[in-house]
Amino acid sequence: MAALARLAPAKVNLFLHVGPLEADGYHPLASLVAFADVGDVLTIDPADRLSLAVTGPFAGALEGEDDNLVLRAVRALGVGAGIAEPGLRITLDKQLPVAAGLGGGSSDAGAALKLVRDTLELPFDDEALAEIAASIGADGPMCLHARAAWARGRGDVLTFEPALPPLPALLVNPGVPSSTGAVYRAFDAGAPGLADTPPPPLDWAAPAVEAWLQMQHNDLQAPAVALAPAIGDALAATEALPGARLTRMSGSGATVFALFDTSAAAEAAGQTLSALHPDWWVRPTVLR
């Protein structure tokens, strides 16, 4: 059987409203998530035993990880399918920065689940795989489906949003990790608001969506910037780019994004920013 490959796309929180910590240890949230056309790439081959090799520019950040989310997801699927240890050789081409607010680990796990299902011809639909993904992390189901969606609860209550238009964008990471736990602790030290879900835009044309997003926010942005000022530098540099219409941090950081009218404008802005900050990770994309 030939090797199968799949993109694990970057997840972007177009807005993120977070409520105060609840008794179960989780924060309620409301978000509209979209997925980029850039991400990590997973390849799976049949083999005698289960193994994972990590390559790519960010492979070093995962070095020494014995409990990678990909392996946890594959083993959980194996248990559900009654397979003690799937015989598979998995290669993860790590193109996304780690601890970046892009859902990279969860997206990798979701792509791996689909690849294993297809390789072994297992009788699991996407909803069944999403239940396994949920056991790996709260954002597991959204990253497995990799579709624009409203996310509520812990991020696991999803309503898909087919009306979201393609949004030309630029993803920018200043090369610093952002610890989700530390950001949430800093958020808790402030005065948390409510995880409110705003009414959807009256018009789903891209300019109207951008105007609507201007009225939303990311509640984790300020605490993340306080902990890692480089995120603030990335926000300021990205906002100053010609044609940038909306600039915001994704998730708990450290990646920020800007929306543009056209893909050509996003690509030109990316070239400008890369020349100014050659050590930053900068990728033009389309969010869908």
Side-chain angles (χ1 to χ4, degrees), residues 4-52:
L4 297 181
R6 191 177 191 95
L7 179 72
K11 178 265 300 176
V12 173
N13 297 92
L14 296 175
F15 75 85
L16 180 58
H17 299 171
V18 183
L21 183 66
E22 296 187 333
D24 61 2
Y26 287 88
H27 294 78
L29 61 84
S31 184
L32 179 60
V33 297
F35 287 84
D37 56 9
V38 299
D40 300 331
V41 178
L42 282 91
T43 306
I44 288 187
D45 296 279
D48 294 333
R49 61 183 183 85
L50 180 63
S51 66
L52 173 66

Side-chain angles (χ1 to χ4, degrees), residues 189-212:
L194 298 175
D196 60 304
T197 301
L202 296 177
D203 180 358
W204 282 98
V209 171
E210 291 168 3
W212 175 82

Side-chain angles (χ1 to χ4, degrees), residues 1 15 23 49 71 73 91 109 115 128-129 148 162 187 203 216 220 240 272:
M1 179 183 295
F15 75 85
R49 61 183 183 85
L71 290 177
T91 302
L115 281 173
L129 293 183
F187 170 78
D203 180 358
Q216 317 311 325
L220 300 182
T272 297

Side-chain angles (χ1 to χ4, degrees), residues 14-15 209-217 246 248 259:
L14 296 175
F15 75 85
V209 171
E210 291 168 3
W212 175 82
L213 285 170
Q214 292 280 5
M215 297 185 289
Q216 317 311 325
H217 46 86
L246 168 74
R248 181 167 292 156
L259 300 183

Side-chain angles (χ1 to χ4, degrees), residues 90-112:
I90 305 171
T91 302
L92 168 59
D93 180 10
K94 193 65 184 168
Q95 293 291 321
L96 297 178
V98 176
L102 296 175
S106 295
S107 191
D108 294 341

